[in-house]
Amino acid sequence: EEESSNLARDGLRTLVFARRDFDEHEYALFESRWHQARLQAQGRAAAMLDVQRTLEHDMELLAVSGVEDKLQPDVRGALEKLRHAGVRVWMLTGDKVETATCVAISA
């Protein structure tokens, strides 16, 4: 967690790699629940996330990586033009707060 936050503060996208072994019974249970979640017409994403979380525990950390994800060319100029035109700019992101802050500052 600490290293992931350090990478995010440097403006890097963080990727965490981990693994966990599970037996055939646990896999069969997961597969059945996953299939049922995928068939839901409403609340599918939340149901799939719930099933996914049943496997994401007691994992062995393999690696943490930080990847630079530069802004597209001319983003800074486009944002400046919008601001000068009186357009309020909001940044919506799924990033960690630290990463989003670095990206906003670089723009």
Side-chain angles (χ1 to χ4, degrees):
E1 180 69 31
E2 180 182 346
E3 189 58 34
S4 175
S5 293
N6 290 340
L7 293 168
R9 275 192 292 280
D10 289 339
L12 302 175
R13 301 252 182 230
T14 56
L15 303 171
V16 178
F17 301 89
R19 68 177 297 276
R20 181 170 85 82
D21 292 329
F22 44 89
D23 61 31
E24 289 182 32
H25 173 74
E26 188 175 10
Y27 176 75
L29 182 61
F30 164 78
E31 185 179 37
S32 173
R33 292 184 65 212
W34 183 255
H35 180 72
Q36 291 300 313
R38 289 185 62 196
L39 294 177
Q40 289 191 18
Q42 292 182 334
R44 180 182 302 137
M48 291 174 69
L49 187 59
D50 287 343
V51 174
Q52 180 181 332
R53 287 182 176 152
T54 65
L55 295 182
E56 294 179 348
H57 60 86
D58 301 324
M59 299 181 82
E60 174 188 1
L61 178 64
L62 300 175
V64 177
S65 173
V67 178
E68 185 175 16
D69 188 7
K70 292 186 176 185
L71 292 175
Q72 296 293 316
D74 301 322
V75 168
R76 182 184 307 243
L79 290 173
E80 286 177 10
K81 288 176 183 174
L82 289 169
R83 286 186 195 123
H84 289 301
V87 176
R88 183 178 289 189
V89 177
W90 291 78
M91 184 173 84
L92 303 176
T93 176
D95 293 324
K96 294 184 88 165
V97 172
E98 296 89 348
T99 306
T101 301
C102 287
V103 170
I105 289 171
S106 72

XYZ file of all heavy atoms in Angstrom:
848
model
N 0.838 -1.200 0.000
C 0.000 0.000 0.000
C 0.875 1.252 0.000
O 0.614 2.187 -0.746
C -0.922 -0.029 1.221
C -1.838 1.161 1.327
C -2.917 1.201 0.247
O -3.353 0.146 -0.210
O -3.307 2.309 -0.139
N 1.909 1.244 0.827
C 2.779 2.423 0.909
C 3.494 2.679 -0.416
O 3.528 3.807 -0.907
C 3.806 2.248 2.025
C 4.740 3.433 2.170
C 5.782 3.235 3.258
O 5.631 2.311 4.082
O 6.748 3.998 3.264
N 4.048 1.629 -1.008
C 4.771 1.805 -2.276
C 3.826 2.229 -3.395
O 4.165 3.064 -4.230
C 5.506 0.522 -2.660
C 6.445 0.690 -3.823
C 7.524 1.746 -3.610
O 7.992 1.921 -2.472
O 7.897 2.413 -4.596
N 2.639 1.680 -3.414
C 1.635 2.063 -4.405
C 1.302 3.551 -4.275
O 1.195 4.266 -5.278
C 0.384 1.210 -4.221
O -0.628 1.626 -5.087
N 1.156 4.018 -3.056
C 0.870 5.444 -2.824
C 2.046 6.317 -3.243
O 1.850 7.405 -3.798
C 0.533 5.682 -1.356
O -0.682 5.049 -1.033
N 3.275 5.858 -2.992
C 4.456 6.620 -3.407
C 4.489 6.779 -4.926
O 4.781 7.858 -5.440
C 5.747 5.932 -2.940
C 5.935 6.004 -1.440
O 5.347 6.847 -0.755
N 6.734 5.109 -0.914
N 4.209 5.703 -5.650
C 4.188 5.771 -7.110
C 3.091 6.706 -7.597
O 3.289 7.486 -8.536
C 3.998 4.370 -7.697
C 5.157 3.397 -7.492
C 4.735 1.977 -7.861
C 6.374 3.823 -8.288
N 1.935 6.653 -6.962
C 0.819 7.527 -7.345
C 1.171 8.991 -7.124
O 0.835 9.846 -7.944
C -0.437 7.146 -6.569
N 1.862 9.291 -6.017
C 2.266 10.669 -5.748
C 3.242 11.176 -6.806
O 3.344 12.368 -7.055
C 2.874 10.794 -4.354
C 1.845 10.996 -3.263
C 2.487 11.395 -1.945
N 3.273 10.316 -1.369
C 2.767 9.292 -0.687
N 1.464 9.209 -0.504
N 3.545 8.352 -0.200
N 3.966 10.261 -7.444
C 4.879 10.632 -8.528
C 4.140 10.751 -9.860
O 4.755 10.960 -10.901
C 6.006 9.604 -8.659
C 7.003 9.681 -7.501
O 7.062 10.742 -6.847
O 7.707 8.684 -7.275
N 2.820 10.584 -9.844
C 2.014 10.734 -11.047
C 1.989 9.500 -11.927
O 1.636 9.578 -13.094
N 2.357 8.351 -11.381
C 2.404 7.120 -12.164
C 1.138 6.295 -11.943
O 0.572 6.293 -10.860
C 3.625 6.283 -11.770
C 4.974 6.970 -11.934
C 6.080 6.080 -11.395
C 5.239 7.321 -13.383
N 0.705 5.587 -12.972
C -0.376 4.613 -12.825
C 0.216 3.415 -12.109
O 1.275 2.932 -12.472
C -0.886 4.168 -14.191
C -1.392 5.287 -15.024
C -2.883 5.205 -15.115
N -3.354 6.273 -15.975
C -4.315 7.081 -15.636
N -4.907 6.947 -14.488
N -4.709 8.019 -16.448
N -0.457 2.962 -11.098
C 0.082 1.841 -10.327
C -0.588 0.535 -10.731
O -1.802 0.478 -10.918
C -0.107 2.072 -8.814
O -1.480 2.294 -8.539
C 0.693 3.266 -8.337
N 0.241 -0.464 -10.892
C -0.237 -1.811 -11.197
C 0.302 -2.731 -10.119
O 1.491 -2.739 -9.841
C 0.279 -2.267 -12.569
C -0.066 -1.369 -13.750
C 0.689 -1.818 -14.985
C -1.555 -1.397 -14.012
N -0.580 -3.491 -9.500
C -0.186 -4.424 -8.451
C -0.468 -5.832 -8.957
O -1.570 -6.124 -9.416
C -0.957 -4.154 -7.139
C -0.571 -5.159 -6.072
C -0.711 -2.730 -6.672
N 0.532 -6.677 -8.892
C 0.416 -8.060 -9.344
C 0.451 -8.972 -8.136
O 1.349 -8.870 -7.297
C 1.567 -8.420 -10.291
C 1.627 -7.544 -11.508
C 2.346 -6.362 -11.495
C 0.945 -7.904 -12.658
C 2.403 -5.555 -12.621
C 0.991 -7.097 -13.788
C 1.723 -5.921 -13.762
N -0.529 -9.876 -8.054
C -0.607 -10.796 -6.927
C -1.186 -12.125 -7.413
O -1.762 -12.195 -8.498
C -1.455 -10.216 -5.806
N -1.045 -13.137 -6.579
C -1.573 -14.451 -6.948
C -2.091 -15.159 -5.697
O -1.740 -14.810 -4.575
C -0.502 -15.298 -7.631
C 0.627 -15.717 -6.706
C 1.659 -16.616 -7.357
N 1.153 -17.887 -7.796
C 1.027 -18.964 -7.018
N 1.372 -18.906 -5.759
N 0.558 -20.086 -7.488
N -2.922 -16.155 -5.962
C -3.431 -16.995 -4.879
C -3.870 -18.319 -5.481
O -4.507 -18.368 -6.538
C -4.615 -16.322 -4.184
C -5.191 -17.131 -3.033
C -6.179 -16.323 -2.242
N -7.517 -16.332 -2.770
C -8.412 -17.299 -2.573
N -8.088 -18.368 -1.891
N -9.619 -17.203 -3.063
N -3.523 -19.412 -4.835
C -3.975 -20.730 -5.262
C -5.320 -21.033 -4.617
O -5.588 -20.607 -3.488
C -2.978 -21.818 -4.822
C -1.659 -21.727 -5.559
O -1.653 -21.301 -6.732
O -0.625 -22.072 -4.961
N -6.165 -21.746 -5.345
C -7.400 -22.239 -4.756
C -7.719 -23.598 -5.363
O -7.272 -23.935 -6.456
C -8.564 -21.259 -4.893
C -8.700 -20.605 -6.243
C -9.448 -21.189 -7.238
C -8.094 -19.386 -6.495
C -9.587 -20.584 -8.469
C -8.222 -18.785 -7.727
C -8.967 -19.374 -8.720
N -8.484 -24.378 -4.618
C -8.753 -25.753 -5.041
C -9.911 -25.813 -6.045
O -10.563 -24.809 -6.341
C -9.016 -26.657 -3.837
C -10.219 -26.222 -3.019
O -11.176 -25.655 -3.589
O -10.216 -26.474 -1.792
N -10.160 -27.001 -6.572
C -11.194 -27.188 -7.596
C -12.583 -26.815 -7.092
O -13.384 -26.236 -7.827
C -11.189 -28.636 -8.081
C -9.982 -28.972 -8.929
C -10.004 -30.401 -9.438
O -11.115 -30.936 -9.679
O -8.921 -30.974 -9.582
N -12.865 -27.147 -5.834
C -14.179 -26.815 -5.269
C -14.379 -25.301 -5.231
O -15.444 -24.791 -5.620
C -14.322 -27.422 -3.868
C -15.568 -26.976 -3.168
N -16.826 -27.438 -3.509
C -15.752 -26.081 -2.166
C -17.727 -26.852 -2.743
N -17.099 -26.023 -1.914
N -13.385 -24.582 -4.754
C -13.494 -23.123 -4.675
C -13.637 -22.531 -6.080
O -14.420 -21.609 -6.290
C -12.267 -22.534 -3.977
C -12.404 -21.061 -3.684
C -11.240 -20.496 -2.897
O -10.213 -21.191 -2.722
O -11.363 -19.345 -2.453
N -12.903 -23.079 -7.049
C -13.018 -22.588 -8.421
C -14.419 -22.853 -8.984
O -15.017 -21.980 -9.610
C -11.970 -23.216 -9.351
C -12.176 -22.780 -10.773
C -11.806 -21.492 -11.176
C -12.794 -23.601 -11.693
C -12.040 -21.060 -12.464
C -13.031 -23.178 -12.992
C -12.650 -21.903 -13.375
O -12.891 -21.471 -14.651
N -14.938 -24.043 -8.763
C -16.275 -24.386 -9.273
C -17.328 -23.454 -8.677
O -18.245 -22.999 -9.380
C -16.601 -25.842 -8.963
N -17.213 -23.165 -7.389
C -18.139 -22.239 -6.730
C -18.029 -20.843 -7.345
O -19.038 -20.198 -7.660
C -17.860 -22.197 -5.226
C -18.756 -21.313 -4.388
C -20.213 -21.771 -4.498
C -18.299 -21.344 -2.939
N -16.786 -20.382 -7.521
C -16.569 -19.075 -8.149
C -17.166 -19.043 -9.553
O -17.876 -18.110 -9.920
C -15.076 -18.748 -8.212
C -14.762 -17.630 -9.166
C -14.993 -16.309 -8.818
C -14.265 -17.901 -10.428
C -14.729 -15.280 -9.709
C -13.994 -16.879 -11.328
C -14.225 -15.566 -10.958
N -16.879 -20.059 -10.355
C -17.351 -20.097 -11.739
C -18.876 -20.046 -11.813
O -19.458 -19.313 -12.622
C -16.827 -21.347 -12.440
C -17.174 -21.394 -13.908
C -16.622 -22.631 -14.576
O -16.599 -23.705 -13.956
O -16.213 -22.496 -15.741
N -19.543 -20.775 -10.932
C -21.004 -20.786 -10.901
C -21.553 -19.409 -10.524
O -22.461 -18.885 -11.175
C -21.485 -21.840 -9.917
O -22.874 -21.756 -9.748
N -20.993 -18.827 -9.474
C -21.445 -17.503 -9.027
C -21.151 -16.438 -10.082
O -21.947 -15.528 -10.309
C -20.793 -17.142 -7.693
C -21.284 -18.017 -6.542
C -20.714 -17.597 -5.209
N -21.210 -16.271 -4.887
C -20.515 -15.366 -4.180
N -19.317 -15.644 -3.733
N -21.029 -14.185 -3.931
N -19.981 -16.546 -10.742
C -19.598 -15.588 -11.778
C -20.575 -15.659 -12.953
O -21.018 -14.632 -13.475
C -18.170 -15.883 -12.239
C -17.623 -14.918 -13.253
C -17.458 -15.129 -14.583
C -17.156 -13.588 -13.007
N -16.931 -14.016 -15.179
C -16.724 -13.058 -14.239
C -17.065 -12.799 -11.859
C -16.211 -11.780 -14.357
C -16.543 -11.518 -11.988
C -16.134 -11.028 -13.220
N -20.912 -16.858 -13.362
C -21.851 -17.053 -14.458
C -23.209 -16.438 -14.116
O -23.815 -15.736 -14.941
C -21.992 -18.547 -14.777
C -22.941 -18.842 -15.888
N -22.660 -18.555 -17.212
C -24.195 -19.374 -15.875
C -23.683 -18.906 -17.956
N -24.624 -19.409 -17.178
N -23.691 -16.684 -12.908
C -24.977 -16.128 -12.481
C -24.936 -14.600 -12.447
O -25.894 -13.932 -12.858
C -25.377 -16.675 -11.105
C -25.743 -18.147 -11.113
C -26.912 -18.420 -12.045
O -27.924 -17.725 -12.038
N -26.753 -19.437 -12.883
N -23.824 -14.044 -11.972
C -23.696 -12.583 -11.912
C -23.707 -11.975 -13.312
O -24.326 -10.933 -13.542
C -22.418 -12.200 -11.174
N -23.055 -12.633 -14.258
C -22.991 -12.127 -15.633
C -24.352 -12.150 -16.317
O -24.590 -11.393 -17.253
C -22.002 -12.947 -16.450
C -20.563 -12.680 -16.047
C -19.600 -13.394 -16.947
N -19.759 -12.886 -18.304
C -19.291 -13.493 -19.376
N -18.643 -14.634 -19.262
N -19.457 -12.975 -20.579
N -25.252 -13.001 -15.864
C -26.576 -13.111 -16.477
C -27.566 -12.076 -15.952
O -28.647 -11.923 -16.524
C -27.136 -14.521 -16.255
C -26.386 -15.660 -16.958
C -27.015 -16.998 -16.593
C -26.377 -15.454 -18.463
N -27.221 -11.400 -14.873
C -28.159 -10.435 -14.286
C -28.377 -9.260 -15.235
O -27.424 -8.687 -15.760
C -27.624 -9.921 -12.957
C -27.671 -10.955 -11.860
C -27.384 -10.343 -10.508
O -27.463 -9.135 -10.318
N -27.051 -11.188 -9.558
N -29.643 -8.917 -15.425
C -29.977 -7.783 -16.285
C -29.775 -6.457 -15.559
O -29.382 -5.468 -16.157
C -31.420 -7.900 -16.761
N -30.036 -6.457 -14.258
C -29.850 -5.241 -13.466
C -28.845 -5.533 -12.359
O -28.841 -6.613 -11.768
C -31.163 -4.794 -12.845
C -32.153 -4.302 -13.873
C -33.432 -3.819 -13.209
O -33.785 -4.252 -12.121
N -34.125 -2.921 -13.883
N -27.972 -4.572 -12.102
C -26.988 -4.727 -11.045
C -25.870 -5.693 -11.397
O -25.228 -6.243 -10.511
N -25.655 -5.909 -12.708
C -24.642 -6.874 -13.150
C -23.241 -6.495 -12.659
O -22.518 -7.336 -12.124
C -24.632 -6.976 -14.669
C -23.587 -7.964 -15.195
C -23.552 -8.031 -16.705
N -24.847 -8.410 -17.210
C -25.431 -7.850 -18.255
N -24.833 -6.896 -18.923
N -26.619 -8.249 -18.661
N -22.853 -5.253 -12.843
C -21.495 -4.834 -12.465
C -21.253 -5.031 -10.975
O -20.202 -5.536 -10.566
C -21.255 -3.383 -12.863
N -22.217 -4.659 -10.153
C -22.068 -4.820 -8.703
C -22.019 -6.293 -8.315
O -21.221 -6.696 -7.456
C -23.216 -4.124 -7.972
N -22.841 -7.112 -8.950
C -22.853 -8.550 -8.657
C -21.523 -9.191 -9.046
O -20.979 -10.015 -8.303
C -24.007 -9.232 -9.382
N -20.994 -8.799 -10.197
C -19.714 -9.350 -10.640
C -18.582 -8.916 -9.711
O -17.685 -9.705 -9.396
C -19.431 -8.945 -12.085
C -20.365 -9.614 -13.075
S -20.180 -9.034 -14.769
C -18.578 -9.704 -15.170
N -18.643 -7.676 -9.254
C -17.633 -7.181 -8.313
C -17.689 -7.948 -6.999
O -16.656 -8.305 -6.431
C -17.824 -5.681 -8.081
C -16.759 -4.977 -7.258
C -15.389 -5.126 -7.891
C -17.112 -3.504 -7.113
N -18.895 -8.233 -6.526
C -19.044 -9.018 -5.289
C -18.418 -10.395 -5.433
O -17.732 -10.873 -4.530
C -20.522 -9.158 -4.908
C -21.116 -7.874 -4.365
O -20.342 -6.970 -3.972
O -22.356 -7.774 -4.346
N -18.651 -11.039 -6.568
C -18.082 -12.371 -6.797
C -16.567 -12.280 -6.898
O -15.840 -13.099 -6.326
C -18.675 -13.012 -8.075
C -17.985 -14.330 -8.389
C -20.174 -13.214 -7.920
N -16.089 -11.286 -7.600
C -14.643 -11.092 -7.754
C -13.967 -10.932 -6.400
O -12.900 -11.498 -6.157
C -14.408 -9.862 -8.617
C -12.965 -9.526 -8.885
C -12.860 -8.261 -9.733
O -13.741 -7.932 -10.506
N -11.780 -7.548 -9.560
N -14.591 -10.193 -5.522
C -14.003 -9.937 -4.199
C -13.886 -11.197 -3.347
O -13.091 -11.235 -2.412
C -14.812 -8.877 -3.469
C -14.587 -7.503 -4.044
C -15.360 -6.454 -3.286
N -15.042 -5.137 -3.805
C -15.864 -4.103 -3.770
N -17.058 -4.230 -3.220
N -15.508 -2.952 -4.266
N -14.670 -12.233 -3.675
C -14.566 -13.468 -2.898
C -13.214 -14.145 -3.103
O -12.798 -14.956 -2.280
C -15.688 -14.471 -3.253
O -15.536 -14.908 -4.607
C -17.061 -13.867 -3.022
N -12.521 -13.821 -4.193
C -11.205 -14.411 -4.455
C -10.055 -13.509 -4.030
O -8.932 -13.978 -3.885
C -11.045 -14.707 -5.947
C -11.963 -15.744 -6.550
C -11.629 -15.931 -8.025
C -11.865 -17.064 -5.822
N -10.316 -12.245 -3.851
C -9.248 -11.281 -3.599
C -8.946 -11.124 -2.113
O -9.168 -10.081 -1.512
C -9.607 -9.939 -4.232
C -9.651 -10.003 -5.746
C -10.036 -8.686 -6.393
O -10.500 -7.762 -5.679
O -9.896 -8.585 -7.614
N -8.404 -12.176 -1.551
C -7.941 -12.142 -0.159
C -6.819 -13.158 -0.014
O -6.673 -14.067 -0.826
C -9.090 -12.430 0.818
C -9.720 -13.774 0.607
N -9.228 -14.920 1.178
C -10.785 -14.156 -0.132
C -9.971 -15.948 0.804
N -10.931 -15.511 -0.001
N -6.011 -12.984 1.006
C -4.889 -13.893 1.268
C -4.034 -14.101 0.025
O -3.647 -15.217 -0.305
C -5.393 -15.244 1.790
C -6.195 -15.102 3.066
O -5.833 -14.236 3.891
O -7.188 -15.833 3.232
N -3.747 -13.013 -0.666
C -2.975 -13.093 -1.904
C -1.496 -12.836 -1.642
O -1.133 -12.107 -0.728
C -3.514 -12.100 -2.929
C -4.965 -12.382 -3.303
S -5.609 -11.256 -4.527
C -4.967 -12.031 -5.995
N -0.667 -13.437 -2.467
C 0.783 -13.253 -2.398
C 1.162 -12.120 -3.347
O 0.910 -12.191 -4.549
C 1.483 -14.543 -2.815
C 2.974 -14.422 -2.915
C 3.619 -15.668 -3.523
O 2.896 -16.622 -3.894
O 4.844 -15.663 -3.647
N 1.765 -11.073 -2.801
C 2.192 -9.943 -3.612
C 3.391 -10.362 -4.463
O 4.377 -10.884 -3.952
C 2.583 -8.764 -2.719
C 3.102 -7.521 -3.428
C 2.027 -6.914 -4.315
C 3.589 -6.508 -2.413
N 3.289 -10.146 -5.766
C 4.376 -10.500 -6.681
C 5.192 -9.280 -7.086
O 6.412 -9.338 -7.146
C 3.821 -11.184 -7.932
C 3.046 -12.480 -7.704
C 2.461 -12.976 -9.018
C 3.940 -13.532 -7.069
N 4.505 -8.172 -7.380
C 5.215 -6.976 -7.837
C 4.300 -5.763 -7.787
O 3.076 -5.897 -7.830
C 5.703 -7.174 -9.267
N 4.920 -4.605 -7.698
C 4.220 -3.327 -7.817
C 4.965 -2.546 -8.885
O 6.189 -2.471 -8.860
C 4.217 -2.540 -6.489
C 3.538 -1.189 -6.657
C 3.557 -3.337 -5.387
N 4.217 -1.994 -9.819
C 4.839 -1.290 -10.942
C 4.196 0.079 -11.095
O 3.011 0.252 -10.836
C 4.637 -2.120 -12.217
O 5.083 -1.418 -13.345
N 4.995 1.047 -11.520
C 4.488 2.377 -11.828
C 4.706 2.661 -13.300
O 5.815 2.512 -13.806
N 3.650 3.048 -14.002
C 3.723 3.293 -15.438
C 3.384 4.751 -15.703
O 2.348 5.250 -15.251
C 2.735 2.374 -16.193
C 2.767 2.652 -17.689
C 3.027 0.913 -15.903
N 4.258 5.424 -16.458
C 3.988 6.810 -16.812
C 2.896 6.847 -17.879
O 2.938 6.107 -18.853
C 5.255 7.482 -17.342
C 5.075 8.946 -17.602
C 6.372 9.631 -18.010
O 7.326 8.938 -18.383
O 6.402 10.863 -17.966
N 1.925 7.689 -17.657
C 0.803 7.824 -18.592
C 0.680 9.308 -18.914
O -0.051 10.033 -18.252
C -0.470 7.277 -17.958
C -1.632 7.203 -18.930
O -1.431 7.449 -20.125
O -2.746 6.892 -18.478
N 1.416 9.751 -19.914
C 1.469 11.176 -20.228
C 0.152 11.658 -20.819
O -0.582 10.904 -21.438
C 2.597 11.458 -21.220
C 3.966 11.258 -20.630
C 5.028 11.701 -21.611
C 6.396 11.568 -20.953
N 7.450 12.104 -21.813
N -0.104 12.945 -20.619
C -1.277 13.567 -21.220
C -1.136 13.565 -22.736
O -0.027 13.617 -23.275
C -1.416 15.015 -20.739
C -1.765 15.219 -19.272
C -1.747 16.710 -18.952
C -3.117 14.631 -18.948
N -2.251 13.535 -23.411
C -2.249 13.616 -24.867
C -1.702 14.981 -25.286
O -1.819 15.973 -24.545
C -3.671 13.432 -25.401
C -4.256 12.074 -25.127
C -3.526 10.989 -25.897
O -3.228 11.150 -27.073
N -3.224 9.893 -25.233
N -1.104 15.053 -26.487
C -0.593 16.345 -26.966
C -1.710 17.402 -26.988
O -2.854 17.100 -27.271
C -0.121 16.042 -28.396
C 0.089 14.562 -28.437
C -0.887 13.976 -27.446
N -1.342 18.614 -26.679
C -2.235 19.784 -26.748
C -3.321 19.824 -25.672
O -4.209 20.680 -25.733
C -2.888 19.900 -28.135
C -1.850 20.020 -29.250
O -0.825 20.707 -29.024
O -2.062 19.423 -30.312
N -3.287 18.926 -24.697
C -4.287 18.978 -23.626
C -4.146 20.271 -22.839
O -5.132 20.954 -22.552
C -4.185 17.753 -22.695
C -5.004 17.948 -21.426
C -4.620 16.497 -23.418
N -2.911 20.621 -22.504
C -2.681 21.836 -21.717
C -3.254 23.061 -22.449
O -3.965 23.873 -21.862
C -1.193 22.016 -21.446
C -0.870 23.233 -20.591
C 0.616 23.422 -20.442
N 1.227 22.196 -19.954
C 1.848 22.082 -18.798
N 1.980 23.120 -18.021
N 2.360 20.940 -18.420
N -2.951 23.187 -23.727
C -3.450 24.320 -24.504
C -4.960 24.341 -24.591
O -5.590 25.408 -24.497
N -5.560 23.189 -24.783
C -7.022 23.111 -24.862
C -7.658 23.531 -23.541
O -8.656 24.268 -23.525
C -7.453 21.695 -25.230
N -7.078 23.077 -22.417
C -7.611 23.463 -21.108
C -7.481 24.967 -20.883
O -8.388 25.606 -20.346
C -6.911 22.679 -19.996
C -7.237 21.200 -19.922
C -6.352 20.509 -18.891
C -8.696 20.963 -19.605
N -6.342 25.527 -21.277
C -6.153 26.977 -21.121
C -7.184 27.762 -21.933
O -7.751 28.744 -21.455
C -4.735 27.363 -21.542
C -3.673 26.953 -20.546
C -2.264 27.279 -21.014
O -2.102 27.990 -22.030
O -1.320 26.806 -20.356
N -7.451 27.333 -23.151
C -8.444 28.017 -23.994
C -9.834 27.931 -23.378
O -10.598 28.903 -23.393
C -8.442 27.421 -25.397
C -7.211 27.789 -26.195
C -7.191 27.102 -27.548
C -5.903 27.435 -28.279
N -5.755 26.703 -29.535
N -10.171 26.780 -22.836
C -11.472 26.627 -22.185
C -11.584 27.551 -20.977
O -12.617 28.203 -20.777
C -11.689 25.169 -21.765
C -11.926 24.185 -22.909
C -11.847 22.746 -22.394
C -13.275 24.443 -23.566
N -10.538 27.612 -20.172
C -10.553 28.483 -18.981
C -10.697 29.948 -19.389
O -11.456 30.709 -18.775
C -9.280 28.271 -18.160
C -9.265 26.971 -17.408
C -8.038 26.880 -16.482
N -7.842 25.521 -16.045
C -6.730 24.813 -16.229
N -5.678 25.362 -16.803
N -6.633 23.581 -15.807
N -9.926 30.368 -20.421
C -10.002 31.761 -20.882
C -11.378 32.090 -21.461
O -11.804 33.253 -21.441
C -8.914 32.055 -21.919
C -7.533 32.095 -21.330
N -7.161 32.958 -20.322
C -6.436 31.361 -21.610
C -5.906 32.765 -20.001
N -5.428 31.784 -20.767
N -12.071 31.096 -21.957
C -13.420 31.307 -22.499
C -14.475 31.288 -21.399
O -15.657 31.437 -21.668
C -13.735 30.232 -23.542
N -14.029 31.095 -20.157
C -14.965 31.092 -19.046
C -15.628 29.754 -18.786
O -16.604 29.678 -18.042
N -15.116 28.704 -19.401
C -15.680 27.374 -19.202
C -15.038 26.757 -17.962
O -13.818 26.733 -17.821
C -15.417 26.468 -20.439
C -15.908 25.059 -20.180
C -16.077 27.063 -21.672
N -15.870 26.303 -17.062
C -15.370 25.650 -15.855
C -14.995 24.214 -16.211
O -15.791 23.487 -16.792
C -16.420 25.654 -14.758
C -15.901 25.036 -13.465
C -16.908 25.085 -12.387
N -17.046 26.483 -11.959
C -17.736 26.860 -10.909
N -18.372 25.966 -10.190
N -17.819 28.120 -10.579
N -13.792 23.809 -15.862
C -13.290 22.480 -16.209
C -13.248 21.619 -14.950
O -12.684 22.009 -13.937
C -11.871 22.574 -16.831
C -11.331 21.192 -17.124
C -11.912 23.419 -18.096
N -13.844 20.450 -15.055
C -13.826 19.477 -13.967
C -13.105 18.234 -14.453
O -13.300 17.804 -15.589
C -15.249 19.089 -13.567
C -16.002 20.195 -12.897
C -16.583 21.260 -13.495
C -16.226 20.349 -11.505
N -17.188 22.063 -12.571
C -16.978 21.527 -11.337
C -15.875 19.610 -10.387
C -17.367 21.980 -10.092
C -16.276 20.054 -9.147
C -17.011 21.230 -9.007
N -12.298 17.653 -13.608
C -11.587 16.439 -13.982
C -12.197 15.260 -13.228
O -12.213 15.246 -12.001
C -10.096 16.547 -13.639
C -9.308 15.343 -14.100
S -7.541 15.542 -13.874
C -7.367 15.061 -12.164
N -12.711 14.296 -13.977
C -13.268 13.083 -13.392
C -12.308 11.940 -13.684
O -11.885 11.764 -14.827
C -14.644 12.774 -13.982
C -15.685 13.876 -13.832
C -16.966 13.474 -14.544
C -15.950 14.156 -12.371
N -11.972 11.185 -12.678
C -10.986 10.129 -12.866
C -11.236 8.987 -11.899
O -11.808 9.182 -10.837
C -9.554 10.683 -12.674
O -8.624 9.620 -12.773
C -9.393 11.354 -11.329
N -10.799 7.815 -12.281
C -10.858 6.663 -11.388
C -9.531 6.433 -10.716
O -9.325 5.429 -10.050
N -8.609 7.393 -10.884
C -7.272 7.256 -10.317
C -7.285 7.449 -8.808
O -8.240 7.965 -8.236
C -6.333 8.317 -10.907
C -6.056 8.108 -12.377
O -5.958 6.942 -12.790
O -5.930 9.113 -13.092
N -6.171 7.056 -8.202
C -5.961 7.408 -6.796
C -5.884 8.931 -6.736
O -5.494 9.585 -7.712
C -4.654 6.802 -6.287
C -4.670 5.284 -6.244
C -3.400 4.758 -5.659
C -3.591 4.695 -4.160
N -2.610 3.902 -3.462
N -6.226 9.509 -5.612
C -6.218 10.960 -5.465
C -4.830 11.516 -5.782
O -4.696 12.540 -6.454
C -6.668 11.364 -4.043
C -6.480 12.850 -3.819
C -8.111 10.968 -3.812
N -3.780 10.825 -5.326
C -2.413 11.306 -5.556
C -2.102 11.382 -7.053
O -1.516 12.354 -7.521
C -1.396 10.386 -4.869
C -1.506 10.347 -3.364
C -2.473 9.268 -2.857
O -3.233 8.697 -3.675
O -2.477 9.002 -1.655
N -2.496 10.371 -7.814
C -2.243 10.358 -9.256
C -3.037 11.458 -9.941
O -2.513 12.193 -10.779
C -2.615 8.992 -9.873
O -1.938 7.957 -9.172
C -2.254 8.936 -11.344
N -4.299 11.575 -9.587
C -5.154 12.605 -10.202
C -4.607 14.007 -9.924
O -4.616 14.863 -10.807
C -6.580 12.466 -9.682
N -4.105 14.235 -8.725
C -3.539 15.535 -8.378
C -2.327 15.856 -9.247
O -2.200 16.940 -9.787
C -3.156 15.574 -6.883
O -4.322 15.331 -6.104
C -2.551 16.918 -6.508
N -1.441 14.876 -9.414
C -0.255 15.075 -10.266
C -0.648 15.361 -11.711
O -0.068 16.223 -12.360
C 0.668 13.853 -10.199
S 1.559 13.719 -8.656
N -1.632 14.639 -12.214
C -2.089 14.855 -13.593
C -2.695 16.235 -13.731
O -2.434 16.956 -14.698
C -3.089 13.759 -14.027
C -3.735 14.108 -15.355
C -2.400 12.412 -14.099
N -3.496 16.646 -12.761
C -4.124 17.975 -12.813
C -3.061 19.078 -12.782
O -3.155 20.057 -13.522
C -5.093 18.134 -11.655
N -2.045 18.908 -11.969
C -0.983 19.913 -11.881
C -0.218 19.977 -13.195
O 0.129 21.053 -13.673
C -0.045 19.595 -10.698
C -0.788 19.863 -9.386
C 1.237 20.427 -10.769
C -0.051 19.381 -8.156
N 0.030 18.821 -13.809
C 0.795 18.817 -15.064
C 0.001 19.408 -16.211
O 0.562 19.828 -17.205
C 1.228 17.388 -15.421
O 0.144 16.614 -15.858
N -1.319 19.445 -16.090
C -2.141 20.023 -17.146
C -2.160 21.529 -16.973
O -2.488 22.265 -17.814
C -3.560 19.465 -17.093
